[in-house]
Amino acid sequence: MQLVDLIEKNALDKILEALTEATQVSAVVVDSEGQPITAEHNFTTLCREYCRSTPAGRQKCYESDCYGGRESKRLKKRFIYTCLNAGLQDCATPIIVEGYHLATLVMGQVRTGDIPRAAAIAKAQSIGVRDIDGYLKALDEVPFMCGERLESIFKLMEAIAQTISSLALQKYLSQRAQQQSLHKLINSVSDAIVAAQPNGKITMVNKAGENMLGRTAENIVGRTLCSLFVEPETVRTLVTPRRAKPESKGPLVLDVRRPGRQIFPADVSFAKIYDEKGERTGYAAVMRDISEQKSAERMKEDLIGMLTHDMRNPILSIQRGMKILLDKYLGPLNDKQQELASLAYDSSYQLLGMVSDFLDIFRDESGGLSLCRVLVDMNAVLLQSLKEVRLAGEDKKLDICFTPGEEALQLLGDWSRLVRTCTNLLENAIRFSPEGGRISIAAELLNGSGPSGIASATGAGFQADGARILVTVTDQGGGIPKEHHKEVFEKFFSTKTKHENGRRGVGLGLAFCKLVAEAHGGSIWVESPFKSDEQQAMKGCRFLFALPVEDPRQEQVGCDE
């Protein structure tokens, strides 16, 4: 604990400046070793230019001030004494906080009597002063002060020292209360918190840190922060003194050591700590053990992989069985049996598409999704999608309008995933269209900027100046609020509008559509509410996706690595 940690040096200097101006004596606040803490106020020429002008003389003054402080601490009051250097009259008063001798207020540099010339010369020569005449002249200029006057000044000095001690005590108690509250808070959190000095030496660890690291605070404090991690060089680059700011903008996943060669993964955030003056005082690391989280993620990945793979086999078996029935290998079917078998066959395709969507999204998150590109015609893709949703549209008596163009709309793309993308958009339109409503589908080749909205809605990877195929699916449903236009493409998004036939998110279908569009270098977006030529009111949705005809990332037909 230092006095300047409790009372600012500027405040101490202002007190001494006022004190010396009123008393016309010198004053300084020194530490327990006699080293000055404040400026040296109103020092005499003798002390300033002679006694403290040589290394030996300054050291002698420090020893004298240290002696005065030590004796005043022992007496617990002011101590008047003859300085050990020039033989002048000084007085020391201790500044004590909670039993700690933080500093000493020293005043004096006056004479109460004559100092023999021979003794003065001897003192000057002992500290290496060469200008003896100047020394003696400066000694003659030191003011005389009677005992009564000196006593009143030293009494005032003692009162001021006690006031400084009281102010320092109040600040100390306030800081200690804050530290205790902070320690309680730090020790109450579940994350490990480790503080270190600028050189990396650990100075503090909370209870959660002790439990997480498997060591007591005594075994952690004093170690280097880098030694806690399996890859210390990674941490050293983040907390090197040459850097003005921590390099990590968020938590890093690092392997942490425990005793017995145990290693566990943790989310770690580093921060540099600065004091009120903006000077770096150390570092803090906040760590969270994510062993269980990593284990749960592995279990989730294994479970998802198992479900998606194992569900495909029974669905494919159902498809084969329905196909055998429909092909009449087992005998003829009446009209009702034919209808039910066709419904089951088409439903199996829908179920397989849902499982495939789920698997592809999982593959994309795991970094394993690849496209098998071939030359496809978007008109053929849409016709195949319409075939798969035919029964669902007929059930709601919907008028689904699509007229393929005379020219093929060809691009390099993944046939099966593009079919599922269009099927998902059509199923979404059918689900939220009113019975007897109308669904419009269109596909066209664009060589310019296209319709309004395409420039702002397409993603950063979309080539605005290249040829592209634009597909639109328009329905007459309740629409989607504008604030949900981006969220509707997120996984498991769900919302309901105020309309009676409001639409809810379709879970993974639209998320899969966004995944496929962006994997092809394109983009997908929604316009709602939308007014078509046949509609009088603003409602419904228009889903649009645009794909580049020539994807610069894929120069030849084949599957992406």
Side-chain angles (χ1 to χ4, degrees), residues 61 63 85 95 135 218 229 258 303 350 431 445 493:
C61 288
E63 292 175 1
N85 195 340
I95 298 174
Y135 180 93
E218 289 77 9
F229 301 92
R258 279 197 189 103
L303 178 62
Q350 293 179 4
R431 183 179 298 112
L445 179 65
F493 171 77

Side-chain angles (χ1 to χ4, degrees), residues 239-301:
V239 295
T240 176
R242 292 190 298 271
R243 300 186 185 275
K245 296 181 179 179
E247 291 296 318
S248 61
K249 297 181 179 179
L252 300 174
V253 177
L254 300 174
D255 289 331
V256 185
R257 299 181 185 274
R258 279 197 189 103
R261 298 184 178 180
Q262 294 183 4
I263 296 174
F264 67 92
D267 273 343
V268 186
S269 296
F270 294 98
K272 294 185 179 181
I273 304 173
Y274 298 88
D275 60 16
E276 296 176 352
K277 299 178 181 178
E279 297 179 358
R280 187 174 63 250
T281 59
Y283 304 93
V286 180
M287 297 182 287
R288 175 173 295 179
D289 188 344
I290 58 173
S291 300
E292 294 185 1
Q293 177 182 334
K294 288 291 185 182
S295 177
E297 289 177 357
R298 286 192 295 269
M299 291 178 62
K300 182 186 74 172
E301 292 173 0

Side-chain angles (χ1 to χ4, degrees), residues 49-227:
E49 298 184 6
Y50 292 95
C51 294
R52 296 184 179 230
S53 65
T54 66
R58 181 163 285 273
Q59 184 59 38
K60 199 72 173 177
C61 288
Y62 292 163
E63 292 175 1
S64 179
D65 292 342
C66 178
Y67 165 72
R70 186 171 61 249
E71 291 300 309
S72 65
K73 176 192 174 185
R74 182 179 62 82
L75 297 172
K76 296 182 180 179
K77 63 178 183 179
R78 66 180 183 274
F79 172 65
I80 302 173
Y81 62 102
T82 301
C83 79
L84 305 181
N85 195 340
L88 303 179
Q89 199 72 17
D90 282 343
C91 181
T93 302
I95 298 174
I96 298 175
V97 175
E98 287 284 277
Y100 294 101
H101 180 207
L102 299 186
T104 305
L105 174 57
V106 180
M107 292 187 68
Q109 298 182 11
V110 297
R111 290 186 294 169
T112 56
D114 291 329
I115 298 176
R117 292 291 183 185
I121 293 172
K123 289 180 180 293
Q125 291 175 340
S126 67
I127 60 174
V129 174
R130 296 182 179 180
D131 184 7
I132 301 298
D133 292 338
Y135 180 93
L136 294 175
K137 180 180 179 181
L139 178 61
D140 292 337
E141 294 175 354
V142 173
F144 278 95
M145 195 165 290
C146 66
E148 183 178 349
R149 169 66 175 162
L150 197 59
E151 180 66 23
S152 64
I153 291 175
F154 290 160
K155 186 176 181 180
L156 173 63
M157 178 190 96
E158 185 176 34
I160 291 176
Q162 291 174 351
T163 300
I164 294 175
S165 297
S166 178
L167 293 174
L169 176 61
Q170 293 178 22
K171 186 64 176 292
Y172 168 75
L173 294 176
S174 175
Q175 288 183 351
R176 187 172 67 177
Q178 292 177 0
Q179 289 176 351
Q180 290 174 346
S181 298
L182 180 60
H183 287 163
K184 289 180 181 179
L185 177 63
I186 290 175
N187 286 319
S188 67
V189 300
S190 58
D191 292 344
I193 301 177
V194 180
Q197 296 174 341
N199 61 6
K201 293 290 184 180
I202 296 174
T203 57
M204 186 279 297
V205 60
N206 66 346
K207 292 294 183 182
E210 291 181 284
N211 297 332
M212 185 180 297
L213 298 172
R215 298 183 177 94
T216 62
E218 289 77 9
N219 292 327
I220 298 174
V221 173
R223 297 167 60 95
T224 62
L225 187 61
C226 298
S227 67

